[in-house]
Amino acid sequence: MSVLVDEDTRVVVQGITGGEGNFHAEQMIEYGTNVVAGAVPGKGGQEVHGVPVYDTVHEAVRREDADASVVFVPPAFAADALFEALDTSLDLVVAITEGIPTQDMTTVNRRLRETDTYLVGPNCPGVITPGEAKLGILPGNIFSSGNVGLVSRSGTLTYQVVDNLTQRGIGQTTAIGIGGDPIIGTSFIDALELFEADPETEAVAMCGEIGGEDEEDAADFIATEMDTPVAGFIAGRTAPPGKRMGHAGAIVSGSGTGTAESKIEALNNAGVPVGDTPEEVADHIEGFL
Amino acid sequence: MRLHEYQAKGVFADAGIPTPDSRLATSVDEAVDAGRDLGYPLAVKAQVHVGGRGKAGGIEIASDEDELREAAETIIGMDLKGYHVDRVLVEAAVDFTDELYLGVTLDRGEGEPVVMVSSEGGVDIEEVAETNPDAIARERVDPAYGLHSFQARKAVSEAGVPRDVSRAVASVVETLYDLWEANDASEAEINPLMVTDGGDVVAADAVMNVDDDALFRHPNLAEMEEESYTDDLERKAGEYGFDYVRLSGNVGIIGNGAGLVMTTLDLVDYYGGDPANFLDIGGGAKAERVANALDMVFSDPNVDSVVFNIFGGITRGDEVARGINDALSQFDEIPKPVVVRLAGTNAAEGMEILNTELVQVEGTLEDAVQRAVANAEEVNQ
């Protein structure tokens, strides 16, 4: 089992004729993902890696019965691409694009609330169900199929923790990179809810970082709503206050909220062990299984 | 991108928010000339990107030309929390009866804009938020509709703003929201908004941060960008376009992806070392960018040892390896020991290319960090 995506997921790649879209569409197809169409305004009628391209997402969905999209559209046009995706009946939209203006995302987010669609990202590595499908830019070869769910705000940290798990023979149901921007679609809580409901997911690894209060909110959710055990990791313990550490969201405010300490404390209070190193996260997960 | 006070005030004034008469001065003579135009008393305010300028000595009040000269001589050229002051705003002082706070920012948790009004302006508003949160009236804005006029009136009323100026203040709140939205600001703030004896309102300070990701559609604001750095290394990082933060330690850290780089810092600390910097080469970095990153870290005299931590996804291990080779082959002797850990996309190809005569290679993050920490300790023995 898996959450969000599996071998039957029918994927549209928005921006498939661009450099990143083209490269990663090929990688996704090679991984076995059921990529059924591309959508690029003005490029309808072409074919990329054997996949038909349509001018609109609507047409791609109608003709190819797609139920998910992955977005590689440049930031200036990304909000429009997301509105277009949300205007169809897609179950899942994965936004890889980095650098979408925040106010654009406030309106996308507002529209999202009126739909039943899951939006993952933006500025995220995507979603993968090992051995079945990957939507995004994650390196497929480090993942293996199994019974651990993973949710992370950081792409490369996702890879690191997955590597620690895979190296000791622990496979994953699905890994979801939710992205590090201040405004994202699927939150920790949304992902945890999906894993809790998935009978195959026996434990969850959750990778957070400094900034915002999403991890604290997730801790409340874990304490009150989850039976599946969760192990955590929080990046940014050594980050100085007030400095932006790469991610738009990764900044510690002067007032003490959003710090690594407050997140680790909240998780510990919710019964979630937090590893000092990625290797320790794998130790905790191993202990759960 | 943060605007200087004088730039933000220009944006606010253009939108119709009253601001005091003022002149920008880059020398004592210019400041004295400004004083003759503006009259006394007036304020001399350092134009640098730091908070708490007043407490740090960056704002002085002058009641005559001698005091102005003295204030300008002190402030121009001073070092304010590590930033060099090369200009001041000379501004007519405002006689006020009340000081208010107005702000527009993003409520991250809700993903919506929020408008804030407080009658306790003129002080550190973060402190008010901590000690007396009820003193700040907040109104969340549905981005599909924008700020309704009634919301501005409601916030002003709930903040206890004096009734004789409530209409004028609500009008400034609406204008502030509109300019926040129109300029893709992440933050727009007036603290204080002064209420005068005559019942007028004047923005005595102005803060505006603009979303860097949206600058492409605001060329007028992009032009105003004046990066200020606390040191030459940060300036260099700005030129190379790196996300870089200088820290106090001696283990230089280069990696890809903010989360992984932060984790590397944390592990250096965990294993008893002290990180010298945060440096994220970003996604999909080519060889030249990798070489620039090494140049950055070698330029820091505090660095005794370097760790490279790359987990390729969109970034490719062979490109990174090429960049490391290019950068290091220029040295007769490598200035500081470099430990490399390569994993993920094209890592195997990268390992084949990597010149292991120039670097130490470790297979795991934990091993790489421990080796780099040991290297740094060795240098200091």
Side-chain angles (χ1 to χ4, degrees):
Chain A
M1 272 286 285
S2 60
V3 302
L4 292 175
V5 299
D6 59 28
E7 58 194 356
D8 297 324
T9 305
R10 298 176 64 82
V11 182
V12 182
V13 178
Q14 291 179 251
I16 197 169
T17 53
E20 296 294 337
N22 186 312
F23 177 78
H24 290 288
E26 188 176 20
Q27 299 277 311
M28 285 188 270
I29 292 165
E30 272 178 22
Y31 193 74
T33 311
N34 196 9
V35 177
V36 297
V40 183
K43 301 284 170 78
Q46 296 185 13
E47 223 176 64
V48 175
H49 306 305
V51 171
V53 180
Y54 298 97
D55 284 316
T56 67
V57 179
H58 271 283
E59 197 183 354
V61 169
R62 194 169 60 237
R63 300 261 201 116
E64 306 295 341
D65 199 24
D67 50 23
S69 98
V70 52
V71 179
F72 290 98
V73 174
F77 314 103
D80 190 53
L82 293 177
F83 273 106
E84 184 182 10
L86 294 176
D87 196 50
T88 66
S89 54
L90 295 170
D91 297 328
L92 171 69
V93 178
V94 177
I96 306 301
T97 310
E98 178 179 0
I100 303 177
T102 305
Q103 290 194 14
D104 290 4
M105 280 311 301
T106 63
T107 55
V108 168
N109 201 44
R110 170 66 172 73
R111 175 76 183 95
L112 182 66
R113 290 181 198 175
E114 301 168 338
T115 72
D116 295 323
T117 305
Y118 279 97
L119 169 67
V120 174
N123 188 15
C124 79
V127 181
I128 185 168
T129 292
E132 298 192 30
K134 73 160 180 163
L135 277 67
I137 59 176
L138 314 105
N141 61 331
I142 60 168
F143 292 85
S144 63
S145 183
N147 51 8
V148 173
L150 190 137
V151 55
S152 171
R153 269 170 75 182
S154 153
T156 44
L157 184 54
T158 307
Y159 311 159
Q160 177 64 50
V161 173
V162 164
D163 201 43
N164 288 83
L165 292 172
T166 299
Q167 293 288 335
R168 60 172 81 187
I170 301 173
Q172 305 89 42
T173 47
T174 300
I176 310 171
I178 58 175
D181 276 6
I183 296 185
I184 53 173
T186 297
S187 65
F188 278 125
I189 292 176
D190 298 328
L192 292 169
E193 205 166 30
L194 289 166
F195 285 129
E196 174 70 10
D198 175 36
E200 299 288 320
T201 301
E202 289 176 19
V204 179
M206 174 183 148
C207 302
E209 63 187 23
I210 52 167
E213 284 162 17
D214 297 14
E215 290 83 353
E216 287 87 337
D217 295 342
D220 284 344
F221 178 83
I222 294 165
T224 56
E225 308 287 335
M226 285 187 77
D227 293 323
T228 311
V230 181
F233 185 80
I234 300 293
R237 295 172 189 226
T238 48
K243 290 282 189 183
R244 184 178 138 147
M245 305 294 273
H247 275 174
I251 186 166
V252 179
S253 73
S255 58
T257 59
T259 61
E261 291 74 29
S262 76
K263 289 171 194 294
I264 292 167
E265 193 188 333
L267 287 167
N268 284 338
N269 289 342
V272 176
V274 178
D276 285 329
T277 68
E279 191 68 30
E280 271 186 36
V281 179
D283 290 341
H284 290 305
I285 293 286
E286 197 162 41
F288 292 147
L289 300 174
Chain B
M1 165 194 166
R2 181 166 177 169
L3 270 60
H4 284 295
E5 177 194 3
Y6 78 93
Q7 294 168 326
K9 274 189 171 144
V11 174
F12 287 17
D14 287 346
I17 295 174
T19 57
D21 282 339
S22 64
R23 304 274 185 283
L24 191 66
T26 55
S27 68
V28 176
D29 287 345
E30 277 179 27
V32 169
D33 285 348
R36 287 189 186 120
D37 288 348
L38 296 168
Y40 295 88
L42 46 71
V44 184
K45 304 159 95 174
Q47 298 297 291
V48 282
H49 293 304
V50 295
R53 282 175 304 169
K55 281 184 200 160
I59 299 178
E60 295 285 346
I61 303 295
S63 51
D64 57 40
E65 192 165 311
D66 288 342
E67 284 183 22
L68 169 60
R69 188 175 290 280
E70 195 179 324
E73 276 169 358
T74 310
I75 296 176
I76 296 174
M78 84 186 291
D79 184 80
L80 201 64
K81 294 184 179 176
Y83 291 89
H84 177 76
V85 180
D86 63 359
R87 65 191 71 188
V88 293
L89 189 66
V90 182
E91 183 172 83
V94 179
D95 263 337
F96 61 91
T97 54
D98 282 295
E99 292 182 295
L100 312 175
Y101 166 85
L102 308 184
V104 184
T105 189
L106 181 75
D107 181 330
R108 238 188 96 131
E110 299 297 334
E112 288 183 344
V114 59
V115 167
M116 294 169 288
V117 179
S118 176
S119 50
E120 295 191 16
V123 292
D124 192 346
I125 200 70
E126 280 84 8
E127 210 173 297
V128 175
E130 285 274 291
T131 57
N132 187 14
D134 291 344
I136 303 173
R138 292 177 176 81
E139 233 2 76
R140 284 222 320 265
V141 181
D142 185 329
Y145 302 111
L147 180 75
H148 295 292
S149 295
F150 84 84
Q151 290 181 289
R153 294 197 301 271
K154 180 166 162 252
V156 166
S157 161
E158 283 178 359
V161 170
R163 290 203 61 196
D164 55 330
V165 290
S166 59
R167 279 180 72 163
V169 176
S171 164
V172 175
V173 169
E174 285 195 66
T175 307
L176 191 67
Y177 180 82
D178 289 345
L179 71 83
W180 180 86
E181 190 182 33
N183 293 293
D184 274 296
S186 49
E187 189 181 17
E189 197 175 68
I190 302 172
N191 188 27
L193 180 75
M194 286 177 172
V195 177
T196 70
D197 256 346
D200 292 325
V201 293
V202 181
D205 193 8
V207 170
M208 187 156 141
N209 284 303
V210 181
D211 180 0
D212 290 326
D213 290 333
L215 278 178
F216 68 88
R217 56 189 175 206
H218 303 287
N220 58 320
L221 296 174
E223 257 176 36
M224 293 182 190
E225 178 142 34
E226 286 173 14
E227 282 292 350
S228 50
Y229 303 102
T230 49
D231 63 34
D232 288 344
L233 273 171
E234 293 198 343
R235 184 185 311 277
K236 202 166 182 176
E239 285 164 9
Y240 282 149
F242 286 128
D243 278 322
Y244 173 87
V245 179
R246 190 172 184 185
L247 302 166
S248 57
N250 63 345
V251 179
I253 293 158
I254 303 171
N256 66 321
L260 188 64
V261 181
M262 277 193 279
T263 300
T264 314
L265 262 68
D266 294 348
L267 288 194
V268 166
D269 180 67
Y270 179 75
Y271 288 118
D274 200 358
N277 67 277
F278 168 100
L279 198 170
D280 178 7
I281 60 170
K286 299 287 183 217
E288 189 192 350
R289 196 166 167 77
V290 175
N292 289 345
L294 261 174
D295 177 45
M296 276 289 318
V297 176
F298 282 155
S299 309
D300 181 347
N302 294 335
V303 167
D304 292 327
S305 129
V306 180
V307 57
F308 234 103
N309 183 27
I310 301 294
F311 209 122
I314 203 162
T315 302
R316 296 170 206 176
D318 49 342
E319 278 289 335
V320 172
R322 226 168 269 131
I324 295 173
N325 288 349
D326 289 353
L328 295 183
S329 58
Q330 291 164 21
F331 294 99
D332 294 330
E333 194 182 342
I334 309 300
K336 287 129 194 191
V338 178
V339 180
V340 177
R341 184 271 181 138
L342 271 183
T345 307
N346 290 3
E349 291 87 333
M351 294 303 290
E352 271 178 29
I353 297 170
L354 195 64
N355 185 340
T356 50
E357 309 234 315
L358 304 177
V359 298
Q360 302 164 5
V361 174
E362 292 290 348
T364 70
L365 167 59
E366 287 82 1
D367 290 346
V369 167
Q370 289 182 72
R371 183 129 180 214
V373 169
N375 286 341
E377 277 168 7
E378 213 165 282
V379 170
N380 284 316
Q381 267 169 11

